[in-house]
Amino acid sequence: MSHDHDHDDENALRAEALEALLTEKGLVQPALVDAIVQRYEQDIGPMNGARAVARAWVDPEYKQRLLSDAWQAIGELGVTTGPELTPIVVLENTPAVHNVVVCTLCSCYPSSVLGLPPTWYKSPPYRSRVVREPRVVLGEMGVDVAPDVEVRVWDSSAEVRYMVLPERPAGTDGWSEERLASLVTRDAMIGVARPGVGDA
Amino acid sequence: MGGMHGFGPVAVEADEPVFHAPWQRRVLGMVYQVVGFGWANIDAFRHGIERIDPVRYLQAGYYGRWLASLETVLREAGVLAPGEVDARLAGRPAPPASVPRDGLPHPTAGFVRALDATPRYVSGQTVRTRNANPAGHTRLPCYVRGKRGVVHRVHPAFVFPDTNAHGAGEQPQYLYTVRFEPAELWGPDAEAGSALHVDLFEPYLEGL
């Protein structure tokens, strides 16, 4: 659980003083802060990853490219992403395998394609538990994984970033890519939810 | 934090906003500029977070930790004088040790580097992680120290955080995704039917 709010006033004052100092010293441009924030609030978010997932669901060749060279495949869609400083690996869920992503060391996350991470992803309960009892954590978050399905947990401990390609839900035959993309949630691409027609 | 007990259930906030307070936006934008333009590297920044007092670490929240580490790394880079932010908050003049600098020292150019040497390990090979407990920064999680696993994937070489965080250079090292079985990490009572994949630098590993 985040306790950011407990120190809000103190942090707000401190951040303001620091920004003033760094602006005077020429390290920080306040307008660039605004621009960076705007990108993550408006342009870069789970809709980018969702478009790649939807394309992979309708185009098997695209899916192969997404699994073998994710940046190139995501680039084909012309979506706005963050800086491509690091490789991204897409993990395919199948009837036999369920993937889930975590960063136990800090909170590394595929921000370039999913936007900034949610608070729960950055929280001690998720970071400590999903590596030790992934099925229990997934169950609590609403994903029951059958005993014969292997759960693969990916700890983003270096600079490679991971995104899950969920299974296409039943009952979506003939759907357009755009409609399919609307089913793909951020949590499904982390691996703690399944896209479902009923949830859309 | 991998494997620690006692933190309780994962609390999910419905329809969570990207930021919870305006100051969090400013901190993110500052960190991206300070790290992106190379005033401090990402590894030093992460090490700054790791050195926060443990009680404060848990209470500060994500952006609170970022704010604290930002001050730490800038003080260590000589950009901020000790106590300079406190002086500004109290309306006092800045201490004289403040060192404004010209130019951009080491702009970030990604983390992948070419190496002449070939990777020491191959996919499918059984390896053991070193049982090392360095005082400084490392990306070898505690819960996989001294454990046996199998190389799942060989990545390119990356900047080595253990040296880069401490101003000892990039010293690029090959990176491996290593698969561990749950019983190897958590003992005989481990949850069955799962596998852990952890990205580990070559110096963290030894052949068997």
Side-chain angles (χ1 to χ4, degrees):
Chain A
M1 191 68 199
S2 164
H3 294 269
D4 277 8
H5 298 298
D6 300 351
H7 304 276
D8 248 3
D9 293 344
E10 185 188 330
N11 284 335
L13 288 171
R14 212 159 181 92
E16 187 181 356
L18 187 57
E19 186 172 350
L21 283 168
L22 297 183
T23 302
E24 287 166 19
K25 292 170 191 286
L27 271 72
V28 161
Q29 302 169 51
L32 191 49
V33 172
D34 296 334
I36 291 166
V37 166
Q38 183 178 328
R39 270 173 79 79
Y40 283 99
E41 286 193 314
Q42 294 175 18
D43 303 331
I44 302 173
M47 62 282 190
N48 296 338
R51 285 190 52 191
V53 169
R55 173 70 57 87
W57 283 348
V58 301
D59 181 345
E61 288 178 9
Y62 181 83
K63 184 174 95 173
Q64 283 315 310
R65 292 202 295 283
L66 186 64
L67 294 173
S68 60
D69 186 349
W71 272 127
Q72 200 246 320
I74 290 164
E76 289 175 34
L77 301 176
V79 299
T80 304
T81 64
E84 300 172 20
L85 296 175
T86 190
I88 183 161
V89 171
V90 174
L91 309 162
E92 183 184 16
N93 281 355
T94 69
V97 174
H98 182 92
N99 295 286
V100 60
V101 180
V102 64
C103 173
T104 62
L105 294 176
C106 37
S107 300
C108 298
Y109 186 77
S111 301
S112 300
V113 284
L114 297 190
L116 296 173
T119 297
W120 63 258
Y121 183 88
K122 303 178 282 191
S123 72
Y126 184 73
R127 290 165 53 198
S128 63
R129 291 180 57 209
V130 78
V131 290
R132 182 168 43 78
E133 46 180 4
R135 285 172 192 274
V136 174
V137 172
L138 288 170
E140 288 175 8
M141 298 182 83
V143 178
D144 287 314
V145 183
D148 59 340
V149 174
E150 180 175 276
V151 175
R152 293 185 185 160
V153 184
W154 301 79
D155 188 350
S156 319
S157 49
E159 292 298 342
V160 178
R161 296 291 171 266
Y162 293 96
M163 181 186 115
V164 175
L165 171 59
E167 286 184 276
R168 180 172 175 168
T172 58
D173 290 351
W175 284 33
S176 70
E177 261 184 71
E178 193 179 359
R179 195 172 169 204
L180 286 169
S182 72
L183 297 178
V184 185
T185 61
R186 173 197 68 201
D187 289 3
M189 292 180 282
I190 302 173
V192 299
R194 285 197 185 97
V197 176
D199 303 337
Chain B
M1 304 203 122
M4 287 174 71
H5 283 269
F7 288 114
V10 179
V12 177
E13 179 183 345
D15 301 319
E16 182 181 344
V18 178
F19 298 98
H20 290 81
W23 67 267
Q24 298 178 351
R25 293 189 176 91
R26 309 313 295 176
V27 169
L28 178 104
M30 284 193 279
V31 168
Y32 275 38
Q33 290 183 61
V34 165
V35 172
F37 292 137
W39 297 97
N41 70 54
I42 185 69
D43 302 305
F45 179 70
R46 289 187 180 133
H47 188 231
I49 291 175
E50 290 158 6
R51 283 178 289 158
I52 296 170
D53 170 87
V55 173
R56 189 171 164 216
Y57 178 98
L58 292 172
Q59 291 177 339
Y62 186 66
Y63 290 109
R65 294 194 283 271
W66 277 35
L67 179 59
S69 180
L70 184 58
E71 274 192 53
T72 300
V73 296
L74 291 174
R75 196 169 56 244
E76 290 171 354
V79 171
L80 287 176
E84 188 166 357
V85 178
D86 291 315
R88 171 63 65 113
L89 281 166
R92 296 194 304 269
S98 175
V99 186
R101 303 202 301 188
D102 298 323
L104 302 175
H106 304 289
T108 304
F111 307 99
V112 177
R113 300 289 182 268
L115 272 190
D116 289 335
T118 52
R120 183 173 297 166
Y121 307 110
V122 296
S123 287
Q125 187 171 352
T126 299
V127 293
R128 193 198 313 271
T129 54
R130 293 185 189 280
N131 182 13
N133 289 276
H137 182 62
T138 185
R139 301 294 290 183
L140 174 60
C142 291
Y143 75 94
V144 293
R145 292 179 186 175
K147 304 296 184 186
R148 186 191 291 249
V150 174
V151 174
H152 167 78
R153 181 168 176 156
V154 182
H155 294 280
F158 283 74
V159 172
F160 191 39
D162 302 44
T163 53
N164 199 43
H166 300 289
E170 295 190 343
Q171 304 195 28
Q173 305 288 341
Y174 283 106
L175 183 73
Y176 302 83
T177 301
V178 180
R179 175 187 165 115
F180 297 92
E181 300 306 317
E184 172 74 8
L185 302 181
W186 315 114
D189 297 330
E191 212 180 63
S194 63
L196 259 294
H197 293 78
V198 187
D199 288 338
L200 301 171
F201 291 91
E202 194 166 275
Y204 302 162
L205 304 175
E206 52 196 14
L208 286 173

